[in-house]
Amino acid sequence: MAEIVTPKSKGKVKVFDTEEDLAVSLAKYAADLSNQISQERGSFTVVLSGGSLVKSLRKLLEQPYIDSVDWSKWHVFWVDERVVPKDHPDSNYLLAYNEFLSKVPIPTGNVYAINDALSADGAADDYETCLKHLVKTKTIDQSQISGFPKFDLMLMGMGPDGHIASLFPGHPLVQENKKWVASINDSPKPPPERISFTLPVINSSANIALVVAGAGKATAVHVALSDVSNSEVLPVQLVEPEGELSWFLDKGAASKL
Ligand SMILES: O=C1O[C@H](COP(=O)(O)O)[C@@H](O)[C@H](O)[C@H]1O
């Protein structure tokens, strides 16, 4: 593993020889935060993306973590979700359930999937209402700086175009700065109807891990982590959390650094 030195705002960058090594380190990182924060706060709020990130969590399902992590403290959310039924192959919930959630003893009441009976607008409003309730009851922390919810850990992937969550390059949703959760009906990546946490919510996080593997994402990684000026700012370049940003890259993703 190599660490790349970047300006502080760009976060800590770890580069692994293989995605397997990346997954091992990611599990330790998440388990350490879980132990520390669960003890401090009595709960641990974790936000997942969809896509390739979910597979990279597989080492948490093995020893020592499967037994050492206090899964009862986990509260799980989605940084974005496709507006499809929960049993649809495009559902980020279904992916996480099949690959991860069905294999760990997180109480079902602590898993906050979107209401799949609603339209995209309705589902975004409903999810935001749910978050507001959980901030009120102090399950989710609140940023003293921004007033937005402050999640303990966001585990996020990035698309080859530099999108994060369902915030796509050049899309007006990237500019949304009032809503906590917003809908999108014209996602350039299918399916078109989705909901997404907004950038201020993402950036209020205590910890963000950006998990990126594969040479197909090397250009966006290069743009995000170097000082090249590009005409269009990629959503991933706007990730600057209140807390810590950590990049987990494999060699392919880091090949243009
Ligand atoms: O559509 C989405 O894509 C991104 C990136 O996915 P990946 O498979 O290229 O890692 C994902 O982070 C997001 O949650 C998802 O809805």
Side-chain angles (χ1 to χ4, degrees):
M1 188 270 290
E3 287 209 25
I4 295 184
V5 182
T6 57
K8 198 179 173 302
S9 63
K10 296 195 190 274
K12 287 186 196 151
V13 183
K14 291 183 182 171
V15 180
F16 300 89
D17 282 344
T18 62
E19 191 277 338
E20 178 76 5
D21 294 344
L22 178 161
V24 170
S25 177
L26 183 65
K28 180 170 173 2
Y29 162 86
D32 287 350
L33 280 176
S34 167
N35 292 345
Q36 180 207 319
I37 296 173
S38 298
Q39 276 171 26
E40 281 166 17
R41 299 187 52 238
S43 62
F44 183 51
T45 53
V46 181
V47 180
L48 302 177
S49 74
S52 54
L53 173 269
V54 179
K55 266 230 154 76
S56 296
L57 299 178
R58 65 190 178 278
K59 298 289 171 188
L60 278 168
L61 306 172
E62 297 177 11
Q63 295 296 353
Y65 310 118
I66 189 73
D67 286 339
S68 66
V69 166
D70 187 350
W71 298 104
S72 69
K73 299 291 192 290
W74 280 48
H75 291 257
V76 178
F77 303 85
W78 277 266
V79 73
D80 73 324
E81 180 57 287
R82 289 89 179 271
V83 181
V84 292
K86 283 192 198 66
D87 58 359
H88 189 283
D90 284 336
S91 162
N92 284 343
Y93 165 83
L94 183 67
L95 175 68
Y97 181 81
N98 287 341
E99 300 286 336
F100 183 63
L101 297 173
S102 59
K103 300 171 186 177
V104 289
I106 299 172
T108 16
N110 291 2
V111 175
Y112 304 90
I114 71 163
N115 183 338
D116 60 357
L118 300 174
S119 65
D121 273 2
D125 287 351
D126 181 70
Y127 211 58
E128 180 166 320
T129 303
C130 166
L131 299 187
K132 287 192 165 146
H133 171 72
L134 293 166
V135 165
K136 220 177 216 164
T137 57
K138 300 201 185 304
T139 302
I140 304 174
D141 221 350
Q142 186 166 24
S143 164
Q144 296 308 304
I145 299 168
S146 68
F148 285 96
K150 181 171 185 166
F151 290 94
D152 297 321
L153 173 60
M154 285 201 187
L155 293 162
M156 290 202 297
M158 178 197 78
D161 57 353
H163 85 267
I164 45 146
S166 285
L167 305 177
F168 291 89
H171 195 282
L173 201 60
V174 178
Q175 311 305 328
E176 174 60 55
N177 61 10
K178 301 230 163 20
K179 290 182 178 173
W180 293 14
V181 185
S183 63
I184 165 168
N185 295 297
D186 56 355
S187 162
K189 177 177 173 181
E193 298 209 326
R194 295 154 170 249
I195 71 166
S196 180
F197 282 7
T198 58
L199 208 51
V201 172
I202 292 170
N203 281 339
S204 297
S205 300
N207 297 279
I208 294 182
L210 273 169
V211 180
V212 187
K217 296 180 177 176
T219 301
V221 168
H222 171 68
V223 169
L225 292 176
S226 62
D227 284 327
V228 289
S229 58
N230 50 320
S231 50
E232 184 177 56
V233 176
L234 302 181
V236 70
Q237 291 178 271
L238 302 172
V239 177
E240 218 176 300
E242 262 182 36
E244 298 280 323
L245 172 60
S246 303
W247 288 78
F248 291 79
L249 304 176
D250 75 347
K251 259 190 172 167
S255 56
K256 293 198 174 165
L257 294 180

